[in-house]
Amino acid sequence: MSFGQGYVPQESAFQLPEGEYKAQIRGAQFGRLQDTGRSYFDVYLNIKDTNGNSFEGFKPDSKRYFDRPQYPQDVPLSVQQAGKTLQDMQLSWDRQMTAFFDAFGIQRGDWNVENWRGKIGYINVRKDKTNPSYMVILPDAQKRQQLQQAGAHQQAPGGQQVSAPGQQYQQQGYSEQYAPPVQQTLSDDIPF
């Protein structure tokens, strides 16, 4: 056997430009780092721009989330030196995961990744603060919420305003947990 036998030329992965994109979850999986034993999950995305152009083969097309820190030793030294505590890290992690669930319309706390497949949401791609040569995906729950609110006050025939499902429950002081699910304003028949 010679070096490089079976090599098949492939196009290189291109860097996504900074900006806002529509993303559909194509899969996710849990794993554990061999060196530290730290748990994580990776979510894999099909990404399109706001005009519907696909970015297949562009990077980043996945995002890794590490498990919620549980013990003081889970706090990296650099974070400790910045004055952050375990509770600070847990609060930050909880916010990050809530943004992820909300951005893709996944029920908060649903860790069954099979339920995530096909979910559509919005993301922002930005330069990584710690390493500007890398781009990072930031779920954009606010964009999804803006679209849902825009659809919440649609005009019915005759000029009457119609509320989106679940909105009247929120207006009456009930939590979202007990309101019926809000219908997705995005088309589910996107050809990925």
Side-chain angles (χ1 to χ4, degrees):
M1 182 181 273
S2 66
F3 183 82
Q5 184 176 351
Y7 166 71
V8 178
Q10 299 291 320
E11 295 298 319
S12 63
F14 299 100
Q15 195 82 358
L16 276 172
E18 286 187 288
E20 184 178 275
Y21 298 89
K22 185 187 282 187
Q24 183 176 37
I25 297 175
R26 69 173 191 260
Q29 71 180 52
F30 288 93
R32 185 178 300 275
L33 296 178
Q34 289 183 354
D35 58 346
T36 64
R38 194 166 177 202
S39 297
Y40 65 86
F41 75 86
D42 289 327
V43 61
Y44 305 100
L45 304 168
N46 290 323
I47 299 174
K48 291 189 173 195
D49 67 12
T50 53
N51 295 323
N53 300 313
S54 180
F55 284 93
E56 189 172 328
F58 282 68
K59 298 294 179 191
D61 64 349
S62 64
K63 177 147 177 71
R64 176 165 287 179
Y65 292 90
F66 285 98
D67 198 1
R68 187 175 195 264
Q70 299 296 317
Y71 306 103
Q73 61 266 28
D74 293 340
V75 181
L77 183 58
S78 61
V79 174
Q80 291 174 16
Q81 291 171 342
K84 304 281 184 188
T85 66
L86 174 61
Q87 290 77 18
D88 294 333
M89 284 190 62
Q90 289 173 333
L91 180 60
S92 176
W93 191 91
D94 292 345
R95 287 179 179 154
Q96 183 181 30
M97 292 314 307
T98 299
F100 169 77
F101 287 133
D102 291 352
F104 287 95
I106 299 168
Q107 182 176 340
R108 292 176 179 180
D110 180 0
W111 298 108
N112 182 351
V113 296
E114 290 303 314
N115 294 339
W116 302 357
R117 192 180 314 274
K119 295 287 186 174
I120 297 170
Y122 285 87
I123 60 171
N124 280 304
V125 175
R126 298 283 180 256
K127 287 189 182 292
D128 188 334
K129 292 177 186 176
T130 58
N131 188 342
S133 65
Y134 287 98
M135 304 297 274
V136 294
I137 293 174
L138 305 169
D140 193 346
Q142 186 175 7
K143 174 69 173 179
R144 182 180 184 86
Q145 186 179 22
Q146 288 170 349
L147 289 173
Q148 287 177 336
Q149 288 174 349
H153 295 289
Q154 297 173 353
Q155 293 288 328
Q160 294 178 328
Q161 281 198 345
V162 177
S163 295
Q167 185 182 17
Q168 67 273 14
Y169 291 90
Q170 293 167 14
Q171 289 170 346
Q172 294 169 2
Y174 295 102
S175 76
E176 288 180 309
Q177 178 181 359
Y178 300 106
V182 175
Q183 296 296 320
Q184 199 171 9
T185 59
L186 304 171
S187 171
D188 284 334
D189 61 347
I190 298 172
F192 282 105

